[in-house]
Amino acid sequence: MLHATDRGCSHPDCDVPGYLCEVHHVGEWMAHGGPTNIDNLTFACGPHHRLLTPVGWKTRKHAGGTTEWIPPPDTDHGQPRTNTYHHPEKH
């Protein structure tokens, strides 16, 4: 299902295809007993998945299913927060 929705790493401007990505639980779903379902998952390549720490980057899902990546406050410079690389129809 993630191959159909994300197609690849959901971090902004990352071009790593889905078959080389890891599955990430959006938000702190598992730590707080949340469900593991498609609405709570996104693709993240290894290097971007490692950015998701308690004091690092965060993710959240928009109503349309797009994953937003939220940088730590000290590195937030107005950069893009979603990835359209794998979705050329959205350009």
Side-chain angles (χ1 to χ4, degrees), residues 12-79:
D13 298 320
C14 186
D15 62 358
V16 174
Y19 59 85
L20 296 176
C21 289
E22 301 168 358
V23 176
H24 167 65
H25 287 87
V26 175
E28 296 297 324
W29 294 103
M30 294 307 294
H32 299 290
T36 297
N37 62 43
I38 195 64
D39 296 327
N40 301 331
L41 302 174
T42 194
F43 273 144
C45 67
H48 287 130
H49 204 187
R50 287 188 289 278
L51 293 175
L52 297 160
T53 66
V55 295
W57 287 71
K58 307 284 184 241
T59 55
R60 67 178 166 203
K61 284 278 192 174
H62 289 255
T66 304
T67 302
E68 178 181 10
W69 286 68
I70 305 156
D74 61 332
T75 62
D76 190 354
H77 305 290
Q79 63 267 45

